[in-house]
């Protein structure tokens, strides 16, 4: 069991001992080749050091890929239902540890406890789903065009998979990648986001405690250029999965293309929520607040644009802004907090810079826009929930992914106009429509250019057993979640068994 050796206490300054976490390679917790480390600090109180992690380099990636390659030789031969049992056991372990993991996640990335509990739950859900896949992994068995010939396609593992994960759903998104990959018989090297490595450690620890063999899942912590790039470049890595920005996606996708790796990119969003005149406004306001400010706006599915029909536009903004102003911002460990901090100083600066951009562009700043840095806020990266109205769909605040608590409200004439505005961006992840008119709902389901559409719910809240991902600059056509992930982490092999005892030439020897 690796539980006891994952971290060792070290004394940092005069504060209480801070745990030092090592890389996890070949079933062992090991220091990085560089001998250097970095700190993981609480964004709600930067005096709180959550842990110290290895600042790794290419040599560590090489060691992890080598271990994963050796482990693959055996792991691929374990029957999928047996592999899946270990994942099922990991789910049960995560249930026992849910509260502790949620608290640690709030400390390392800031989102409120209700949401970090949801993040751990999403990993549990993904574990149960993928454990079930171990007994499915369906492939087609079809009639052959020849007599006495059998035809089917089976799923085979790919090999070593490299994973680069984001900080906003540090356990859930790691689970979307690791769990289907291992059930399908692959082995993995994961590089968690440098802001949130602990939650990925907690997920992997559940695996190791469930009995997954050494080398099947390896963690190398550090930064993109030193760890992410060599991982994507490594010739023995046959599949790469990234969740991150479209800018990083372009780099990783380019690297992967050079060696024909499978590559799944899950990137940015600028997700529209449309509110028509006939909508239940109470519901739409509540949904828009949750979708816009949940996770401090730091979801790729965040409701960052609200497109409201003119008949209810004034009433909607008045009531929406009143609600946004009342949101309780603070440390997510306080159960009464509704919105936590930005994940780090850089993200906060980006959020604030977009406030200035929106004002320069002539949008109306209705509330928020300021950093909160007095009193209890002084040690964290807090800002006010921010709402711009009368936003033109072409403004940068309506086009670019901010990844913060900044919502743009845009007026529209009717559904057709709303859909044109909704689709008029480079991204296509999530979308939503509030209406009571079933005809309009189905027209929107057909016409919104996005990977996900919600009716009478905001743009967030995807469940793990349906495909997750988007169109245009949101990705490269793959989907996580459900069967999409099984498709990504397997290679099809078509099998023909000829039991006729003679040469039968397909397409040529056509039976009478
Ligand atoms: C993300 O926004 O990066 O659908 C992932 C949701 C969550 C996952 C979001 N289940 O909002």
């Amino acid at each position: 069991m690796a539980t006891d050796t994952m971290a060792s206490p070290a004394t940092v300054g005069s504060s209480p001992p801070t745990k030092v976490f090592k890389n996890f390679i070949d079933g062992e917790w090991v220091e990085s080749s560089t001998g250097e480390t970095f700190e993981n600090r609480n964004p709600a109180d930067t005096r709180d050091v959550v842990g110290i992690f290895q600042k790794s380099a290419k040599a560590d990636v090489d060691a992890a890929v080598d271990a994963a390659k050796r482990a693959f030789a055996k792991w691929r031969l374990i029957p999928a239902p047996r592999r899946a049992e270990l994942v099922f056991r990991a789910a049960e372990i995560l249930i026992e540890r849910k509260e502790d993991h949620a608290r640690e996640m709030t400390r390392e990335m800031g989102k409120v406890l209700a949401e970090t509990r949801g993040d751990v739950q999403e990993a549990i859900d993904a574990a149960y789903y993928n454990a079930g896949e171990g007994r499915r992994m369906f492939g087609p068995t079809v009639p052959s065009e020849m007599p006495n010939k059998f035809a089917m396609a089976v799923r085979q593992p790919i090999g070593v998979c490299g994973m680069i994960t984001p900080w906003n759903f540090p356990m859930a998104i790691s689970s979307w990648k690791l769990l289907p990959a291992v059930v399908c018989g692959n082995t993995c090297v994961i590089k968690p986001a440098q802001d949130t490595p602990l939650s990925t450690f907690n997920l992997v620890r559940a695996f190791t405690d469930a009995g997954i063999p050494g080398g099947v899942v390896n963690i190398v912590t550090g930064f993109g250029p030193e760890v992410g790039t060599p991982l994507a470049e490594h010739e023995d890595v046959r599949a790469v999965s990234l969740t991150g920005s479209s800018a990083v996606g372009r780099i990783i996708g380019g690297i992967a293309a050079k060696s024909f790796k499978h590559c799944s990119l899950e990137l940015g969003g600028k997700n529209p929520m449309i509110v028509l005149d006939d909508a239940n406004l109470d519901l739409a306001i509540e949904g828009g607040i949750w979708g816009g400010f949940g996770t401090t706006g730091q979801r790729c599915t965040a409701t960052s644009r609200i497109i409201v029909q003119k008949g209810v536009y004034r009433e909607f903004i008045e009531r929406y802004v009143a609600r946004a102003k009342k949101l309780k911002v603070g440390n997510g460990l306080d159960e009464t907090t509704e919105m936590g901090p930005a994940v780090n100083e850089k993200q906060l600066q980006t959020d604030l810079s977009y406030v200035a951009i929106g004002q320069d562009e002539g949008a109306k700043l209705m509330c928020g826009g300021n950093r909160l840095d007095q009193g209890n806020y002084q040690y964290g990266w807090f800002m006010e929930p921010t709402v711009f109205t009368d936003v033109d769909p072409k403004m940068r605040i309506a086009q670019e992914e901010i990844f913060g608590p900044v919502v743009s409200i845009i007026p529209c004439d009717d559904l057709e106009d709303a859909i044109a505005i909704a689709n008029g961006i480079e991204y296509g992840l999530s979308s939503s429509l509030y209406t009571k008119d079933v005809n309009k709902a189905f027209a929107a389901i057909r016409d919104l250019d996005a990977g996900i559409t919600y009716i009478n719910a905001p743009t967030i809240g995807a469940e793990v057993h349906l495909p997750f991902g988007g169109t245009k600059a949101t990705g490269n056509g793959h989907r996580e979640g459900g069967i999409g992930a099984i498709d990504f982490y397997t290679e099809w092999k078509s099998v023909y068994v000829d039991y006729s005892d003679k040469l039968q030439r397909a397409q040529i020897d056509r039976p009478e």
Side-chain angles (χ1 to χ4, degrees):
M1 297 282 152
T3 318
D4 298 327
T5 48
M6 177 167 95
S8 53
T11 305
V12 179
S14 55
S15 19
T18 304
K19 283 183 180 170
V20 179
F21 293 83
K22 300 175 184 168
N23 286 332
F24 187 56
I25 298 176
D26 215 2
E28 306 283 337
W29 299 97
V30 292
E31 281 173 11
S32 75
S33 59
T34 64
E36 291 174 46
T37 56
F38 65 94
E39 288 176 340
N40 175 6
R41 284 182 183 264
N42 181 343
D45 182 347
T46 54
R47 295 167 302 175
D48 175 23
V49 183
V50 179
I52 292 174
F53 288 83
Q54 304 300 309
K55 189 167 183 295
S56 311
K58 184 174 180 300
D60 306 300
V61 172
D62 290 347
V65 172
D66 188 51
K69 193 177 174 187
R70 281 183 279 110
F72 178 65
K74 288 193 187 142
W75 184 244
R76 73 185 190 91
L77 299 178
I78 309 268
R82 293 280 164 274
R83 295 192 297 249
E85 277 168 27
L86 299 178
V87 169
F88 189 93
R89 214 174 290 154
E92 314 250 275
I93 292 171
L94 287 173
I95 289 172
E96 281 165 28
R97 300 177 183 168
K98 181 172 168 181
E99 188 60 22
D100 288 348
H101 290 348
R103 286 183 177 275
E104 286 187 327
M105 195 188 297
T106 293
R107 267 180 76 204
E108 76 170 344
M109 74 74 67
K111 65 184 173 185
V112 300
L113 269 177
E115 293 191 43
T116 51
R117 289 181 188 126
D119 194 311
V120 180
Q121 185 59 46
E122 200 160 339
I124 295 166
D125 297 343
Y128 281 139
Y129 174 81
N130 285 290
E133 271 302 329
R135 287 188 182 269
R136 287 189 295 267
M137 291 176 62
F138 293 140
T141 301
V142 296
S144 165
E145 62 196 43
M146 297 301 193
N148 299 324
K149 191 175 168 192
F150 186 88
M152 64 180 171
V154 294
R155 294 178 183 275
Q156 297 209 305
I158 305 168
V160 179
C161 300
M163 294 151 182
I164 303 172
T165 51
W167 45 261
N168 64 338
F169 276 80
M171 188 178 281
I173 292 182
S174 300
S175 81
W176 296 357
K177 300 183 194 303
L178 289 172
L179 302 173
V182 299
V183 167
C184 291
N186 303 287
T187 56
C188 312
V189 177
I190 186 164
K191 177 218 163 299
Q194 61 266 20
D195 285 302
T196 56
L198 181 53
S199 296
T200 305
F201 274 71
N202 286 336
L203 175 68
V204 171
R205 198 173 46 140
F207 273 148
T208 56
D209 291 352
I212 220 149
V216 172
V217 176
N218 305 273
I219 312 181
V220 181
T221 55
F223 295 78
E226 294 94 26
V227 179
T229 302
L231 183 59
E233 280 170 344
H234 201 297
E235 60 174 14
D236 289 334
V237 170
R238 296 311 314 148
V240 179
S241 177
L242 163 83
T243 299
S245 66
S246 296
V248 174
R250 228 167 246 124
I251 298 170
I252 297 294
I255 293 171
K258 287 194 189 118
S259 51
F260 306 110
K261 293 179 190 352
H262 294 216
C263 178
S264 168
L265 304 172
E266 208 282 284
L267 310 171
K270 189 75 185 174
N271 312 289
M273 171 178 134
I274 299 169
V275 182
L276 296 184
D277 284 346
D278 75 336
N280 175 338
L281 269 202
D282 294 340
L283 197 65
I285 288 161
E286 196 185 7
I289 291 284
W290 167 231
F293 300 110
T295 327
T296 319
Q298 300 172 129
R299 293 196 192 206
C300 45
T301 51
T303 308
S304 45
R305 295 184 294 155
I306 306 185
I307 303 167
V308 187
Q309 198 171 1
K310 284 186 174 144
V312 289
Y313 183 72
R314 288 290 146 207
E315 183 184 350
F316 182 90
I317 56 179
E318 194 181 304
R319 293 175 56 193
Y320 186 83
V321 168
R323 281 286 298 273
K325 278 185 184 161
K326 283 209 197 99
L327 283 172
K328 187 172 171 212
V329 180
N331 190 322
L333 289 173
D334 173 348
E335 299 269 4
T336 65
T337 298
E338 293 172 293
M339 192 180 98
V343 71
N344 56 34
E345 183 176 13
K346 187 163 173 258
Q347 184 61 54
L348 177 67
Q349 294 310 337
T350 301
D351 300 345
L352 294 171
S353 77
Y354 274 98
V355 174
I357 290 167
Q359 285 176 303
D360 283 352
E361 288 178 309
K364 227 186 205 168
L365 179 62
M366 296 293 282
C367 70
N370 299 304
R371 179 172 180 186
L372 294 164
D373 56 5
Q374 301 299 308
N376 285 341
Y377 294 126
Q378 64 182 307
Y379 299 109
W381 311 120
F382 294 98
M383 81 177 266
E384 297 167 333
T386 301
V387 182
F388 279 106
T389 62
D390 297 355
V391 175
D392 182 282
K394 294 283 169 233
M395 288 178 181
R396 287 184 60 194
I397 54 167
Q399 290 283 327
E400 297 173 18
E401 183 177 50
I402 300 173
F403 228 65
V406 182
V407 172
S408 293
I409 304 188
I410 306 168
C412 71
D413 295 328
D414 52 21
L415 180 62
E416 205 185 322
D417 185 30
I419 289 178
I421 295 168
N423 291 345
I425 48 160
E426 68 169 317
Y427 301 108
L429 180 52
S430 189
S431 56
S432 114
L433 170 67
Y434 280 78
T435 183
K436 289 184 193 139
D437 184 332
V438 69
N439 296 357
K440 290 188 173 139
F442 273 89
I445 292 168
R446 182 193 59 205
D447 294 339
L448 283 166
D449 187 356
I452 306 170
T453 295
Y454 292 88
I455 302 297
N456 293 326
T459 58
I460 67 175
E463 301 177 27
V464 298
H465 46 300
L466 278 185
F468 183 94
T471 62
K472 300 188 277 183
T474 293
N476 62 344
H478 291 287
R479 291 291 184 271
E480 302 200 280
I483 199 72
I486 304 297
D487 286 338
F488 179 71
Y489 288 108
T490 50
E491 198 75 88
W492 281 116
K493 174 173 281 187
S494 296
V495 181
Y496 301 94
V497 181
D498 192 322
Y499 55 100
S500 68
D501 243 354
K502 59 182 184 214
L503 175 64
Q504 300 196 91
R505 296 173 301 174
Q507 294 93 36
I508 296 168
D509 299 328
R510 294 168 57 82
E512 292 299 308

